[in-house]
Amino acid sequence: MNFFDDLAHSLERNRLTRRQALWLLGAGAAGASLSGCATSPVTGKSILVGMSEAQEVQTDAQVAPHQFSQDLGAIQDETVNRYVADLGQRMGVLTHRPQMPYSYRVLNANYVNAYTFPGGAMGVTRGILADLDDEAQLAALLGHELGHVNARHAAQRQGQNMVAQAAIAGLNVAAQNSDWGGLMSMGGQIGASALLAGYSREHEREADALGQEYLVKAGYPATGMVRLHQLLVSEEKAAPSLLQTMFSTHPMSRERMDAAQAAADSRYRISNSLDARRERFMDSTASLRRIRPTIDACKNGETAMATKQYAKAQTEFQSALAKTPRDYASNLRMAQCLQAQGQTAKAVSYADNAREIYPQEAQAYKLAGVLALQQRDAGRAYQNLDRFDRLLPGDAGITFLKGVSLEGMGNRQAAAQHYVAYLRQSQQGNAAQYSYNRLKAWGVVK
């Protein structure tokens, strides 16, 4: 009996194994299309892009909410979110594309990173915000991300990727990883979207230069960019594993830091007497910095999870919860850690805590759904997954999981409809194979 037949048999008996439950958490799909050539808003030169400006905005609307949810949603701190958004909006009007619908939020993610989708939807993790020292560094961080949007780097990379794909048409490689370490890896969180794959060093240098230009225009010293690089490089040396994601999507180098320093010493020399606005930054982010020990403990726990050191991870999450019991990220990560160790009942308790703490965020409902399947309660699983679907529509993996839940409830007709809907969105990977096998077994397809 192969894996898929075994899963179907387990659903009939309402008895999922831990391996099967972990596999279900990994279901999903993605895609893209080619556009053509365009003029760079920054240089005026012709560039190859994979999407039009309208498609950039549309992509943000379709994809960004799912990535932000993967990073556990915006923090439940209106003061901090508004502070970052206000700074971002002040800078956005000074860029080469002020007409773009820029948006900003601080995310519950604990790893160190910031990223932007092609249309200007930006996320800054609480992990990096808690590490910054003043507003000039934050302006440099936002400016760098604005640089990527204004130079249309994501659109350029999409165009290059599509050309490369056309050159190897017919080669189809699909890979699925049911191992929890892979699902939990920090790199995997960003890898949810090909739009956020690593930029080239040329693109990073251009984003640095644009970001430094924008932060000076906004009234900050150019050294803010230098000190941002210094912070990140020093942290990489101290704890490289904790910066795995940041340095894979934004490759760092002393060359980039030296280039920022050279620009601060020459072109932007007059700006260096400007106020870095440390006091305002400290006042505006005080509530976040108070939970810095919680963020650090979660970060350590996630690193341990990625290498399957579950006992160590559990200790770190317990430490985080002792410091901040109602922290959404800590409760959700603890639930995932316990689930990975087969402690389903305990995991449910923390998943329920997470849902109660942040009912508008979707990830706890997905985990609660899979945990309910493990506990042979397909009806409760469907309720949780349907709630996820209403909060965050358009997730193909949830369509598949709802089909699994309906199959577990004995409702083959509705399950088949969900498997068909899933196959319309994705024809590759294990979830697609399982869906097709069930439809074939039920006589829906031949």
Side-chain angles (χ1 to χ4, degrees), residues 375-404:
Q375 292 187 312
R376 311 179 193 180
D377 192 341
R380 182 161 57 90
Y382 183 86
Q383 289 177 350
N384 278 291
L385 295 166
D386 190 57
R387 176 63 175 162
F388 180 108
D389 214 5
R390 283 181 278 128
L391 287 169
L392 195 62
D395 188 310
I398 294 300
T399 300
F400 171 73
L401 289 172
K402 288 171 73 174
V404 170

PDB file of all heavy atoms in Angstrom, residues 375-404:
ATOM      1  N   GLN A 375      -7.300  13.967  15.671  1.00  0.00           N
ATOM      2  CA  GLN A 375      -8.141  13.533  16.783  1.00  0.00           C
ATOM      3  C   GLN A 375      -9.454  12.903  16.300  1.00  0.00           C
ATOM      4  O   GLN A 375     -10.386  12.742  17.072  1.00  0.00           O
ATOM      5  CB  GLN A 375      -8.436  14.712  17.707  1.00  0.00           C
ATOM      6  CG  GLN A 375      -7.205  15.215  18.455  1.00  0.00           C
ATOM      7  CD  GLN A 375      -7.555  16.266  19.476  1.00  0.00           C
ATOM      8  OE1 GLN A 375      -8.280  17.210  19.210  1.00  0.00           O
ATOM      9  NE2 GLN A 375      -7.040  16.103  20.697  1.00  0.00           N
ATOM     10  N   ARG A 376      -9.506  12.576  15.015  1.00  0.00           N
ATOM     11  CA  ARG A 376     -10.653  11.876  14.421  1.00  0.00           C
ATOM     12  C   ARG A 376     -11.932  12.715  14.474  1.00  0.00           C
ATOM     13  O   ARG A 376     -13.031  12.181  14.603  1.00  0.00           O
ATOM     14  CB  ARG A 376     -10.898  10.523  15.112  1.00  0.00           C
ATOM     15  CG  ARG A 376      -9.645   9.666  15.243  1.00  0.00           C
ATOM     16  CD  ARG A 376      -9.955   8.379  15.958  1.00  0.00           C
ATOM     17  NE  ARG A 376      -8.740   7.692  16.374  1.00  0.00           N
ATOM     18  CZ  ARG A 376      -8.721   6.544  17.024  1.00  0.00           C
ATOM     19  NH1 ARG A 376      -9.856   5.956  17.353  1.00  0.00           N
ATOM     20  NH2 ARG A 376      -7.574   5.988  17.366  1.00  0.00           N
ATOM     21  N   ASP A 377     -11.778  14.015  14.377  1.00  0.00           N
ATOM     22  CA  ASP A 377     -12.939  14.908  14.391  1.00  0.00           C
ATOM     23  C   ASP A 377     -12.927  15.712  13.095  1.00  0.00           C
ATOM     24  O   ASP A 377     -12.551  16.885  13.063  1.00  0.00           O
ATOM     25  CB  ASP A 377     -12.892  15.827  15.609  1.00  0.00           C
ATOM     26  CG  ASP A 377     -14.205  16.563  15.845  1.00  0.00           C
ATOM     27  OD1 ASP A 377     -15.011  16.647  14.895  1.00  0.00           O
ATOM     28  OD2 ASP A 377     -14.408  17.070  16.961  1.00  0.00           O
ATOM     29  N   ALA A 378     -13.339  15.059  12.014  1.00  0.00           N
ATOM     30  CA  ALA A 378     -13.300  15.684  10.698  1.00  0.00           C
ATOM     31  C   ALA A 378     -14.231  16.884  10.620  1.00  0.00           C
ATOM     32  O   ALA A 378     -13.957  17.852   9.907  1.00  0.00           O
ATOM     33  CB  ALA A 378     -13.658  14.664   9.619  1.00  0.00           C
ATOM     34  N   GLY A 379     -15.350  16.843  11.352  1.00  0.00           N
ATOM     35  CA  GLY A 379     -16.290  17.958  11.345  1.00  0.00           C
ATOM     36  C   GLY A 379     -15.667  19.217  11.920  1.00  0.00           C
ATOM     37  O   GLY A 379     -15.793  20.307  11.351  1.00  0.00           O
ATOM     38  N   ARG A 380     -14.977  19.073  13.051  1.00  0.00           N
ATOM     39  CA  ARG A 380     -14.310  20.228  13.656  1.00  0.00           C
ATOM     40  C   ARG A 380     -13.162  20.696  12.766  1.00  0.00           C
ATOM     41  O   ARG A 380     -12.887  21.901  12.670  1.00  0.00           O
ATOM     42  CB  ARG A 380     -13.790  19.856  15.046  1.00  0.00           C
ATOM     43  CG  ARG A 380     -13.122  21.011  15.787  1.00  0.00           C
ATOM     44  CD  ARG A 380     -13.058  20.738  17.289  1.00  0.00           C
ATOM     45  NE  ARG A 380     -12.355  19.497  17.588  1.00  0.00           N
ATOM     46  CZ  ARG A 380     -11.034  19.417  17.804  1.00  0.00           C
ATOM     47  NH1 ARG A 380     -10.303  20.514  17.758  1.00  0.00           N
ATOM     48  NH2 ARG A 380     -10.472  18.270  18.088  1.00  0.00           N
ATOM     49  N   ALA A 381     -12.499  19.755  12.116  1.00  0.00           N
ATOM     50  CA  ALA A 381     -11.429  20.125  11.186  1.00  0.00           C
ATOM     51  C   ALA A 381     -11.976  21.005  10.076  1.00  0.00           C
ATOM     52  O   ALA A 381     -11.408  22.056   9.746  1.00  0.00           O
ATOM     53  CB  ALA A 381     -10.786  18.871  10.599  1.00  0.00           C
ATOM     54  N   TYR A 382     -13.116  20.590   9.519  1.00  0.00           N
ATOM     55  CA  TYR A 382     -13.699  21.363   8.427  1.00  0.00           C
ATOM     56  C   TYR A 382     -14.088  22.763   8.900  1.00  0.00           C
ATOM     57  O   TYR A 382     -13.870  23.754   8.183  1.00  0.00           O
ATOM     58  CB  TYR A 382     -14.927  20.646   7.860  1.00  0.00           C
ATOM     59  CG  TYR A 382     -15.525  21.373   6.676  1.00  0.00           C
ATOM     60  CD1 TYR A 382     -15.040  21.152   5.391  1.00  0.00           C
ATOM     61  CD2 TYR A 382     -16.553  22.300   6.848  1.00  0.00           C
ATOM     62  CE1 TYR A 382     -15.559  21.832   4.299  1.00  0.00           C
ATOM     63  CE2 TYR A 382     -17.077  22.991   5.766  1.00  0.00           C
ATOM     64  CZ  TYR A 382     -16.576  22.747   4.500  1.00  0.00           C
ATOM     65  OH  TYR A 382     -17.087  23.438   3.433  1.00  0.00           O
ATOM     66  N   GLN A 383     -14.639  22.882  10.092  1.00  0.00           N
ATOM     67  CA  GLN A 383     -15.033  24.188  10.612  1.00  0.00           C
ATOM     68  C   GLN A 383     -13.831  25.127  10.715  1.00  0.00           C
ATOM     69  O   GLN A 383     -13.913  26.305  10.332  1.00  0.00           O
ATOM     70  CB  GLN A 383     -15.697  24.024  11.979  1.00  0.00           C
ATOM     71  CG  GLN A 383     -17.072  23.389  11.935  1.00  0.00           C
ATOM     72  CD  GLN A 383     -17.650  23.174  13.330  1.00  0.00           C
ATOM     73  OE1 GLN A 383     -16.961  23.335  14.339  1.00  0.00           O
ATOM     74  NE2 GLN A 383     -18.920  22.808  13.388  1.00  0.00           N
ATOM     75  N   ASN A 384     -12.722  24.617  11.214  1.00  0.00           N
ATOM     76  CA  ASN A 384     -11.528  25.447  11.344  1.00  0.00           C
ATOM     77  C   ASN A 384     -10.960  25.830   9.983  1.00  0.00           C
ATOM     78  O   ASN A 384     -10.568  26.986   9.759  1.00  0.00           O
ATOM     79  CB  ASN A 384     -10.458  24.713  12.155  1.00  0.00           C
ATOM     80  CG  ASN A 384     -10.673  24.821  13.647  1.00  0.00           C
ATOM     81  OD1 ASN A 384     -10.526  25.898  14.217  1.00  0.00           O
ATOM     82  ND2 ASN A 384     -11.047  23.730  14.286  1.00  0.00           N
ATOM     83  N   LEU A 385     -10.933  24.878   9.075  1.00  0.00           N
ATOM     84  CA  LEU A 385     -10.390  25.157   7.748  1.00  0.00           C
ATOM     85  C   LEU A 385     -11.295  26.107   6.973  1.00  0.00           C
ATOM     86  O   LEU A 385     -10.812  26.960   6.216  1.00  0.00           O
ATOM     87  CB  LEU A 385     -10.199  23.849   6.982  1.00  0.00           C
ATOM     88  CG  LEU A 385      -9.154  22.903   7.591  1.00  0.00           C
ATOM     89  CD1 LEU A 385      -9.265  21.517   6.976  1.00  0.00           C
ATOM     90  CD2 LEU A 385      -7.743  23.457   7.427  1.00  0.00           C
ATOM     91  N   ASP A 386     -12.587  25.975   7.166  1.00  0.00           N
ATOM     92  CA  ASP A 386     -13.517  26.889   6.502  1.00  0.00           C
ATOM     93  C   ASP A 386     -13.358  28.303   7.056  1.00  0.00           C
ATOM     94  O   ASP A 386     -13.474  29.286   6.314  1.00  0.00           O
ATOM     95  CB  ASP A 386     -14.961  26.403   6.693  1.00  0.00           C
ATOM     96  CG  ASP A 386     -15.947  27.180   5.832  1.00  0.00           C
ATOM     97  OD1 ASP A 386     -15.768  27.195   4.594  1.00  0.00           O
ATOM     98  OD2 ASP A 386     -16.888  27.775   6.400  1.00  0.00           O
ATOM     99  N   ARG A 387     -13.081  28.412   8.351  1.00  0.00           N
ATOM    100  CA  ARG A 387     -12.826  29.723   8.939  1.00  0.00           C
ATOM    101  C   ARG A 387     -11.570  30.335   8.327  1.00  0.00           C
ATOM    102  O   ARG A 387     -11.541  31.535   8.010  1.00  0.00           O
ATOM    103  CB  ARG A 387     -12.668  29.577  10.459  1.00  0.00           C
ATOM    104  CG  ARG A 387     -12.300  30.868  11.181  1.00  0.00           C
ATOM    105  CD  ARG A 387     -13.366  31.927  11.050  1.00  0.00           C
ATOM    106  NE  ARG A 387     -13.046  33.108  11.845  1.00  0.00           N
ATOM    107  CZ  ARG A 387     -13.596  34.301  11.662  1.00  0.00           C
ATOM    108  NH1 ARG A 387     -14.508  34.475  10.713  1.00  0.00           N
ATOM    109  NH2 ARG A 387     -13.252  35.320  12.433  1.00  0.00           N
ATOM    110  N   PHE A 388     -10.519  29.536   8.155  1.00  0.00           N
ATOM    111  CA  PHE A 388      -9.312  30.011   7.469  1.00  0.00           C
ATOM    112  C   PHE A 388      -9.681  30.527   6.085  1.00  0.00           C
ATOM    113  O   PHE A 388      -9.243  31.607   5.664  1.00  0.00           O
ATOM    114  CB  PHE A 388      -8.304  28.863   7.357  1.00  0.00           C
ATOM    115  CG  PHE A 388      -7.010  29.235   6.663  1.00  0.00           C
ATOM    116  CD1 PHE A 388      -5.839  29.355   7.386  1.00  0.00           C
ATOM    117  CD2 PHE A 388      -6.959  29.435   5.292  1.00  0.00           C
ATOM    118  CE1 PHE A 388      -4.634  29.691   6.761  1.00  0.00           C
ATOM    119  CE2 PHE A 388      -5.781  29.776   4.652  1.00  0.00           C
ATOM    120  CZ  PHE A 388      -4.611  29.900   5.393  1.00  0.00           C
ATOM    121  N   ASP A 389     -10.496  29.749   5.365  1.00  0.00           N
ATOM    122  CA  ASP A 389     -10.879  30.087   4.001  1.00  0.00           C
ATOM    123  C   ASP A 389     -11.610  31.418   3.932  1.00  0.00           C
ATOM    124  O   ASP A 389     -11.459  32.188   2.981  1.00  0.00           O
ATOM    125  CB  ASP A 389     -11.765  28.971   3.440  1.00  0.00           C
ATOM    126  CG  ASP A 389     -11.553  28.760   1.951  1.00  0.00           C
ATOM    127  OD1 ASP A 389     -10.655  29.407   1.369  1.00  0.00           O
ATOM    128  OD2 ASP A 389     -12.285  27.944   1.374  1.00  0.00           O
ATOM    129  N   ARG A 390     -12.428  31.704   4.935  1.00  0.00           N
ATOM    130  CA  ARG A 390     -13.160  32.967   4.943  1.00  0.00           C
ATOM    131  C   ARG A 390     -12.261  34.141   5.319  1.00  0.00           C
ATOM    132  O   ARG A 390     -12.448  35.249   4.821  1.00  0.00           O
ATOM    133  CB  ARG A 390     -14.356  32.871   5.896  1.00  0.00           C
ATOM    134  CG  ARG A 390     -15.524  32.075   5.289  1.00  0.00           C
ATOM    135  CD  ARG A 390     -16.709  31.994   6.206  1.00  0.00           C
ATOM    136  NE  ARG A 390     -16.564  30.939   7.205  1.00  0.00           N
ATOM    137  CZ  ARG A 390     -16.714  31.113   8.502  1.00  0.00           C
ATOM    138  NH1 ARG A 390     -16.994  32.301   8.989  1.00  0.00           N
ATOM    139  NH2 ARG A 390     -16.578  30.102   9.341  1.00  0.00           N
ATOM    140  N   LEU A 391     -11.283  33.886   6.185  1.00  0.00           N
ATOM    141  CA  LEU A 391     -10.346  34.935   6.548  1.00  0.00           C
ATOM    142  C   LEU A 391      -9.349  35.222   5.439  1.00  0.00           C
ATOM    143  O   LEU A 391      -8.952  36.368   5.215  1.00  0.00           O
ATOM    144  CB  LEU A 391      -9.575  34.537   7.815  1.00  0.00           C
ATOM    145  CG  LEU A 391     -10.322  34.578   9.135  1.00  0.00           C
ATOM    146  CD1 LEU A 391      -9.498  33.904  10.232  1.00  0.00           C
ATOM    147  CD2 LEU A 391     -10.643  36.012   9.532  1.00  0.00           C
ATOM    148  N   LEU A 392      -8.925  34.180   4.728  1.00  0.00           N
ATOM    149  CA  LEU A 392      -7.853  34.289   3.748  1.00  0.00           C
ATOM    150  C   LEU A 392      -8.196  33.443   2.521  1.00  0.00           C
ATOM    151  O   LEU A 392      -7.616  32.377   2.307  1.00  0.00           O
ATOM    152  CB  LEU A 392      -6.535  33.826   4.385  1.00  0.00           C
ATOM    153  CG  LEU A 392      -5.232  34.172   3.683  1.00  0.00           C
ATOM    154  CD1 LEU A 392      -5.047  35.676   3.593  1.00  0.00           C
ATOM    155  CD2 LEU A 392      -4.054  33.547   4.421  1.00  0.00           C
ATOM    156  N   PRO A 393      -9.168  33.892   1.723  1.00  0.00           N
ATOM    157  CA  PRO A 393      -9.584  33.083   0.569  1.00  0.00           C
ATOM    158  C   PRO A 393      -8.490  32.969  -0.482  1.00  0.00           C
ATOM    159  O   PRO A 393      -7.609  33.816  -0.587  1.00  0.00           O
ATOM    160  CB  PRO A 393     -10.792  33.871   0.034  1.00  0.00           C
ATOM    161  CG  PRO A 393     -10.613  35.267   0.529  1.00  0.00           C
ATOM    162  CD  PRO A 393      -9.920  35.144   1.855  1.00  0.00           C
ATOM    163  N   GLY A 394      -8.573  31.876  -1.252  1.00  0.00           N
ATOM    164  CA  GLY A 394      -7.656  31.707  -2.366  1.00  0.00           C
ATOM    165  C   GLY A 394      -6.483  30.793  -2.104  1.00  0.00           C
ATOM    166  O   GLY A 394      -5.608  30.661  -2.959  1.00  0.00           O
ATOM    167  N   ASP A 395      -6.427  30.143  -0.944  1.00  0.00           N
ATOM    168  CA  ASP A 395      -5.340  29.232  -0.626  1.00  0.00           C
ATOM    169  C   ASP A 395      -5.683  27.836  -1.145  1.00  0.00           C
ATOM    170  O   ASP A 395      -6.588  27.173  -0.636  1.00  0.00           O
ATOM    171  CB  ASP A 395      -5.113  29.188   0.889  1.00  0.00           C
ATOM    172  CG  ASP A 395      -3.865  28.413   1.282  1.00  0.00           C
ATOM    173  OD1 ASP A 395      -3.702  27.277   0.803  1.00  0.00           O
ATOM    174  OD2 ASP A 395      -3.058  28.935   2.068  1.00  0.00           O
ATOM    175  N   ALA A 396      -4.962  27.394  -2.168  1.00  0.00           N
ATOM    176  CA  ALA A 396      -5.257  26.095  -2.775  1.00  0.00           C
ATOM    177  C   ALA A 396      -5.088  24.962  -1.774  1.00  0.00           C
ATOM    178  O   ALA A 396      -5.840  23.983  -1.787  1.00  0.00           O
ATOM    179  CB  ALA A 396      -4.351  25.867  -3.983  1.00  0.00           C
ATOM    180  N   GLY A 397      -4.095  25.089  -0.894  1.00  0.00           N
ATOM    181  CA  GLY A 397      -3.864  24.042   0.093  1.00  0.00           C
ATOM    182  C   GLY A 397      -5.050  23.853   1.019  1.00  0.00           C
ATOM    183  O   GLY A 397      -5.364  22.727   1.424  1.00  0.00           O
ATOM    184  N   ILE A 398      -5.746  24.932   1.364  1.00  0.00           N
ATOM    185  CA  ILE A 398      -6.914  24.828   2.226  1.00  0.00           C
ATOM    186  C   ILE A 398      -8.060  24.151   1.489  1.00  0.00           C
ATOM    187  O   ILE A 398      -8.825  23.373   2.077  1.00  0.00           O
ATOM    188  CB  ILE A 398      -7.325  26.220   2.740  1.00  0.00           C
ATOM    189  CG1 ILE A 398      -6.230  26.773   3.653  1.00  0.00           C
ATOM    190  CG2 ILE A 398      -8.649  26.168   3.488  1.00  0.00           C
ATOM    191  CD1 ILE A 398      -5.941  25.929   4.881  1.00  0.00           C
ATOM    192  N   THR A 399      -8.184  24.428   0.192  1.00  0.00           N
ATOM    193  CA  THR A 399      -9.180  23.727  -0.603  1.00  0.00           C
ATOM    194  C   THR A 399      -8.961  22.221  -0.528  1.00  0.00           C
ATOM    195  O   THR A 399      -9.896  21.436  -0.343  1.00  0.00           O
ATOM    196  CB  THR A 399      -9.124  24.185  -2.075  1.00  0.00           C
ATOM    197  OG1 THR A 399      -9.387  25.591  -2.140  1.00  0.00           O
ATOM    198  CG2 THR A 399     -10.154  23.442  -2.934  1.00  0.00           C
ATOM    199  N   PHE A 400      -7.703  21.812  -0.652  1.00  0.00           N
ATOM    200  CA  PHE A 400      -7.356  20.397  -0.555  1.00  0.00           C
ATOM    201  C   PHE A 400      -7.683  19.847   0.835  1.00  0.00           C
ATOM    202  O   PHE A 400      -8.296  18.779   0.971  1.00  0.00           O
ATOM    203  CB  PHE A 400      -5.877  20.202  -0.867  1.00  0.00           C
ATOM    204  CG  PHE A 400      -5.367  18.824  -0.581  1.00  0.00           C
ATOM    205  CD1 PHE A 400      -5.710  17.753  -1.393  1.00  0.00           C
ATOM    206  CD2 PHE A 400      -4.539  18.585   0.509  1.00  0.00           C
ATOM    207  CE1 PHE A 400      -5.245  16.472  -1.130  1.00  0.00           C
ATOM    208  CE2 PHE A 400      -4.071  17.318   0.786  1.00  0.00           C
ATOM    209  CZ  PHE A 400      -4.425  16.252  -0.042  1.00  0.00           C
ATOM    210  N   LEU A 401      -7.282  20.562   1.884  1.00  0.00           N
ATOM    211  CA  LEU A 401      -7.508  20.084   3.248  1.00  0.00           C
ATOM    212  C   LEU A 401      -8.996  20.002   3.578  1.00  0.00           C
ATOM    213  O   LEU A 401      -9.426  19.096   4.307  1.00  0.00           O
ATOM    214  CB  LEU A 401      -6.799  20.998   4.245  1.00  0.00           C
ATOM    215  CG  LEU A 401      -5.269  20.910   4.255  1.00  0.00           C
ATOM    216  CD1 LEU A 401      -4.687  22.000   5.142  1.00  0.00           C
ATOM    217  CD2 LEU A 401      -4.808  19.541   4.721  1.00  0.00           C
ATOM    218  N   LYS A 402      -9.777  20.914   3.041  1.00  0.00           N
ATOM    219  CA  LYS A 402     -11.234  20.831   3.249  1.00  0.00           C
ATOM    220  C   LYS A 402     -11.777  19.575   2.569  1.00  0.00           C
ATOM    221  O   LYS A 402     -12.687  18.912   3.088  1.00  0.00           O
ATOM    222  CB  LYS A 402     -11.928  22.081   2.727  1.00  0.00           C
ATOM    223  CG  LYS A 402     -11.692  23.314   3.599  1.00  0.00           C
ATOM    224  CD  LYS A 402     -12.209  24.589   2.968  1.00  0.00           C
ATOM    225  CE  LYS A 402     -13.728  24.672   2.982  1.00  0.00           C
ATOM    226  NZ  LYS A 402     -14.200  25.994   2.489  1.00  0.00           N
ATOM    227  N   GLY A 403     -11.218  19.244   1.412  1.00  0.00           N
ATOM    228  CA  GLY A 403     -11.615  17.999   0.760  1.00  0.00           C
ATOM    229  C   GLY A 403     -11.279  16.795   1.601  1.00  0.00           C
ATOM    230  O   GLY A 403     -12.075  15.855   1.734  1.00  0.00           O
ATOM    231  N   VAL A 404     -10.088  16.801   2.214  1.00  0.00           N
ATOM    232  CA  VAL A 404      -9.685  15.717   3.105  1.00  0.00           C
ATOM    233  C   VAL A 404     -10.653  15.604   4.276  1.00  0.00           C
ATOM    234  O   VAL A 404     -11.065  14.506   4.671  1.00  0.00           O
ATOM    235  CB  VAL A 404      -8.240  15.943   3.603  1.00  0.00           C
ATOM    236  CG1 VAL A 404      -7.882  14.959   4.711  1.00  0.00           C
ATOM    237  CG2 VAL A 404      -7.249  15.810   2.443  1.00  0.00           C
TER     238      VAL A 404
END
